[in-house]
Amino acid sequence: MRKYVIMGVQGSGKGTQCGLLAADLDLVQISVGDIFRWHVKNHTKLGAQVKRIVAAGELVGDDLVENVVRDRLQQHDWNYGFVIDGFPRNRKQAEFFLESYDIDGVIHLDLPDEEVWRRVLARRLCSRCGMDYNLIAHRPSVEGRCDVCGGELVSRADDTPDALATRLREYHGKIDPVLELFRGKEFVTSVDARADKITVQQTIRTRLGLPAYVP
């Protein structure tokens, strides 16, 4: 059984790298962001709460994130392990995680803030089916329209300059101490996230001693 945490600033490719690891190694991909987006899309009470927070350009509170992760991990559907994105969010959560789950490693996708700005402000989302696009690397065939359903492509509600500046400030304030804790336990593998997704994935696997990725 393999259990990994993947960490990185918004736009560093956490979801992509999680997906590649999970699909190839039979791991369960647990994304805090995906869980919240599901609740927003399905108009749950939690979704309404998250929507208000995101619209204000703020990060979802640590207690709320912790409750969601606890509930998800208690499902115990991760027979071969998991890779989790979006947790832990502070030192207390990191200590709980280390005590509760015998993790095998922390993957840190290292991305400079200037590259975060470039990537995040180029993101688009289909207003109809939710397909993700990035105008740098994944442009639609018809400008402004989804290749899958033809829906209009829009910016995410939280992808504004002001909201991104707030999230970067909060990210460094909260996550940098978490990484320091994990580094002290010699769990962290840092990977340059500026490379293409295949190169990043291969580097992760080499560092963790995993089988090579075959596209």
Side-chain angles (χ1 to χ4, degrees):
M1 182 178 290
R2 298 183 176 104
K3 298 182 287 296
Y4 298 111
V5 173
I6 189 163
M7 302 183 71
V9 71
Q10 186 175 21
S12 60
K14 296 188 300 295
T16 297
Q17 299 304 326
C18 271
L20 293 174
L21 280 172
D24 203 28
L25 301 174
D26 289 326
L27 305 178
V28 170
Q29 179 179 355
I30 300 174
S31 167
V32 174
D34 286 348
I35 294 172
F36 285 144
R37 279 188 284 273
W38 183 90
H39 281 280
V40 170
K41 184 177 180 181
N42 288 276
H43 307 288
T44 68
K45 184 178 180 180
L46 174 60
Q49 185 178 356
V50 170
K51 191 173 182 179
R52 287 195 299 272
I53 294 169
V54 169
E58 300 172 356
L59 288 174
V60 176
D62 293 339
D63 290 343
L64 188 56
V65 171
E66 185 171 342
N67 290 335
V68 166
V69 171
R70 284 178 186 267
D71 290 344
R72 178 63 186 86
L73 289 174
Q74 284 174 359
Q75 294 178 27
H76 290 290
D77 57 345
W78 32 277
N79 297 328
Y80 297 100
F82 59 76
V83 54
I84 187 166
D85 156 24
F87 187 87
R89 296 270 295 273
N90 59 39
R91 190 179 180 91
K92 176 186 172 185
Q93 290 176 352
E95 290 170 346
F96 149 76
F97 206 69
L98 287 172
E99 293 171 359
S100 304
Y101 303 97
D102 186 20
I103 63 172
D104 295 286
V106 175
I107 303 159
H108 173 225
L109 299 179
D110 191 13
L111 192 70
D113 284 0
E114 58 268 24
E115 180 64 10
V116 175
W117 280 93
R118 191 176 79 94
R119 291 186 182 188
V120 169
L121 296 183
R123 297 195 306 193
R124 298 294 183 272
L125 188 70
C126 176
S127 58
R128 186 181 299 169
C129 72
M131 176 69 71
D132 280 314
Y133 290 84
N134 189 294
L135 302 185
I136 299 169
H138 181 202
R139 300 186 68 90
S141 299
V142 177
E143 185 174 354
R145 292 291 170 183
C146 177
D147 292 338
V148 176
C149 70
E152 181 184 4
L153 299 186
V154 298
S155 297
R156 295 184 187 182
D158 57 338
D159 281 354
T160 66
D162 287 345
L164 180 55
T166 299
R167 290 200 303 276
L168 280 172
R169 185 169 58 252
E170 291 192 16
Y171 172 85
H172 289 301
K174 290 183 175 182
I175 302 302
D176 288 355
V178 173
L179 282 169
E180 286 306 308
L181 174 64
F182 283 142
R183 286 192 180 103
K185 304 289 186 180
E186 299 185 349
F187 279 124
V188 178
T189 295
S190 287
V191 176
D192 188 344
R194 290 173 295 183
D196 65 89
K197 65 180 182 181
I198 302 302
T199 299
V200 172
Q201 180 70 192
Q202 296 288 24
T203 303
I204 290 171
R205 292 178 181 232
T206 298
R207 301 270 179 85
L208 296 177
L210 298 172
Y213 176 67
V214 180

